[in-house]
Amino acid sequence: GDAGALTLGYLLAIVSVHSAQKSYALFSIGASVLIVGLPIFDLSMAVVRRALAGGSVFAADQHHVHHQLLRLGMSPRQVWILLVGAALLLQAGALTFIYADDRVSAAVIVGLAGVGALAFRFLGYDAIIRRGQRSRVAVLMERGAAARAERVAEARSAIAAAEDLDAVWDALVVAARALEQQTIAMDVPGGSRVWDRTVPLSRRGVHLAGVVERSFPVGPDGVLRFARFREHEVFAPHDDALAQSLADAVALWRATHPDARA
């Protein structure tokens, strides 16, 4: 409780002042840190892994040092022995900082840094961070896919309610923006229309990325074309399905409006 915490804090202050008279300030501070090195390592790893995994650093989890050791198959007694041994090792490092030569203290710092890196891998924190990052990417992709599907559903409703081909085209352009398409073109009897996000591909002198084009029929005599940069191909199956649904909506509209012209 408080009595123990106050006593430990007082002892740390004494150690810092005492060791400052015997070595550089860096080693004096290092000795104080090493005395409570194990909880500091646990806290630091908690903050690092939560931040790199994309979560809140204040969100509780079960990936602290003792949790990970138990996951590795150790018994509670074995975990206790290992943690006590690690604490004693850190205490020895703190005593080295206080009483040994500064060159030896510097070597201890390098050695402890290596031990910390090995502990990071041994406890599986690198795998936890990778899983967290993959999970975060998956959530973002799922949200993006849901948003694109919603925009396409709205476009389909707008196409069904369109009075003329101009309104149909406006709805298609809105959907193309939501799907992050670079170009959309509609070829139907009576004319064609093209929308490009920036400069038309035919007028570009340099292509910074490959362009992938998909074509979808909109009736027996019409076609709807989408073009996107290859870097967006990760969404290809989902986006192609949405584009097909847009083409089906246009084909249905044309079937119910046989006199429409571009």
Side-chain angles (χ1 to χ4, degrees):
D2 289 341
L6 292 172
T7 302
L8 289 175
Y10 178 68
L11 292 175
L12 283 175
I14 291 177
V15 169
S16 299
V17 173
H18 178 67
S19 61
Q21 300 172 358
K22 297 177 176 292
S23 61
Y24 292 116
L26 172 63
F27 300 136
S28 303
I29 297 173
S32 302
V33 171
L34 281 181
I35 291 176
V36 288
L38 192 58
I40 287 178
F41 175 80
D42 193 18
L43 175 62
S44 301
M45 289 300 98
V47 173
V48 169
R49 70 171 180 269
R50 292 169 187 172
L52 293 182
S56 170
V57 297
F58 303 106
D61 59 29
Q62 292 190 345
H63 296 297
H64 291 283
V65 172
H66 62 283
H67 290 131
Q68 294 304 107
L69 292 176
L70 290 172
R71 283 189 174 90
L72 291 173
M74 293 185 179
S75 67
R77 179 181 177 83
Q78 291 173 327
V79 171
W80 177 81
I81 293 174
L82 181 59
L83 292 180
V84 169
L88 291 175
L89 178 64
L90 293 173
Q91 313 315 310
L95 291 175
T96 301
F97 281 5
I98 296 173
Y99 295 109
D101 181 81
D102 288 338
R103 287 175 294 182
V104 176
S105 298
V108 171
I109 291 179
V110 175
L112 289 175
V115 171
L118 291 175
F120 183 85
R121 293 292 303 274
F122 175 74
L123 293 170
Y125 286 143
D126 54 335
I128 292 173
I129 291 172
R130 287 196 299 269
R131 286 197 300 268
Q133 291 174 340
R134 287 196 296 266
S135 176
R136 185 185 181 205
V137 170
V139 169
L140 292 176
M141 291 180 65
E142 183 179 358
R143 290 176 180 173
R148 292 195 297 274
E150 184 177 355
R151 299 288 85 78
V152 169
E154 293 173 355
R156 285 174 56 88
S157 297
I159 291 172
E163 296 293 335
D164 52 35
L165 204 56
D166 288 333
V168 172
W169 178 249
D170 291 340
L172 287 174
V173 170
V174 171
R177 292 182 183 275
L179 294 176
E180 297 183 345
Q181 301 295 305
Q182 184 63 27
T183 302
I184 180 174
M186 183 172 64
D187 293 327
V188 293
S192 61
R193 303 183 182 203
V194 177
W195 170 86
D196 195 285
R197 183 176 296 275
T198 53
V199 180
L201 297 176
S202 60
R203 301 212 316 260
R204 294 182 184 178
V206 178
H207 295 277
L208 299 180
V211 176
V212 179
E213 184 175 289
R214 298 283 193 275
S215 298
F216 304 91
V218 288
D221 55 356
V223 64
L224 190 63
R225 296 186 179 89
F226 292 88
R228 58 175 173 264
F229 285 131
R230 196 175 300 277
E231 62 208 49
H232 296 298
E233 279 294 273
V234 65
F235 304 107
H238 183 255
D239 287 351
D240 286 349
L242 294 178
Q244 181 64 64
S245 70
L246 288 172
D248 293 342
V250 175
L252 179 61
W253 186 90
R254 294 189 65 216
T256 56
H257 296 75
D259 297 330
R261 290 290 181 268

